[in-house]
Amino acid sequence: MNGFWENELVVHAAIYSVAILCTIVFLAVFEAVTKYNDWEEIQKGNLSVAMATGGKIFGIANIFRHSIMHNDSLIVMVGWGTFGFLLLLGGYFLFEFLTPKFNIDEEIEKDNRAVGFLAMVISIGLSYVIGAGISY
């Protein structure tokens, strides 16, 4: 049975499955901290929510990319991926804090595409910085 877990395809499938599961959990956390329902807004055609959510998905995936590349075990990979996600979440709150003249969530919910685009770029950009820190 030990040889089963050393098979490259099994290891790849395990890494993929865990990364997808973590992405779903982390997106649920993001959903819980926003004032709007991502998937309802996307279904209504709200491009701002789609961009912000897409940025979060890309950000999480990029963080896990670095975590997978630089860690030997699944547990350590999840640990670094979770740490990276917490930093990304902190960046989201920092973005909200640094824009006191308007509420980010309300603007995105109103389909303010400039704010949705900025939220997407911030998530993607921060994921590169976080990933570089994981790779260091």
Side-chain angles (χ1 to χ4, degrees), residues 18-19 22-23 26 59-69 77-78 80-82 85 134:
V18 170
C22 288
T23 300
F26 296 160
I60 293 167
N62 192 38
I63 289 167
F64 268 98
R65 171 185 171 266
H66 288 277
S67 182
I68 291 165
M69 290 176 64
M77 178 204 80
V78 170
W80 278 106
T82 301
F85 165 73
I134 291 171

Side-chain angles (χ1 to χ4, degrees), residues 48-89:
S48 299
V49 173
M51 287 188 293
T53 303
K56 293 169 189 171
I57 292 168
F58 184 96
I60 293 167
N62 192 38
I63 289 167
F64 268 98
R65 171 185 171 266
H66 288 277
S67 182
I68 291 165
M69 290 176 64
H70 297 285
N71 293 293
D72 293 336
S73 76
L74 207 55
I75 304 267
V76 175
M77 178 204 80
V78 170
W80 278 106
T82 301
F83 177 69
F85 165 73
L86 292 173
L87 292 174
L88 190 63
L89 186 63

Side-chain angles (χ1 to χ4, degrees), residues 9-31:
L9 295 175
V10 172
V11 171
H12 183 73
I15 289 169
Y16 175 80
S17 300
V18 170
I20 293 296
L21 179 63
C22 288
T23 300
I24 291 168
V25 170
F26 296 160
L27 282 175
V29 171
F30 267 126
E31 178 95 23

Side-chain angles (χ1 to χ4, degrees), residues 4 10 13 24 27 33 36 39-40 42 52 65 68-69 71-72 80 93-94 105 109 119-120 124-125 132-133 136:
F4 177 78
V10 172
I24 291 168
L27 282 175
V33 300
Y36 52 85
W39 306 110
E40 284 179 13
I42 291 170
R65 171 185 171 266
I68 291 165
M69 290 176 64
N71 293 293
D72 293 336
W80 278 106
F93 289 124
L94 185 62
D105 283 348
E109 187 175 19
M120 177 185 72
I124 292 170
Y136 180 69

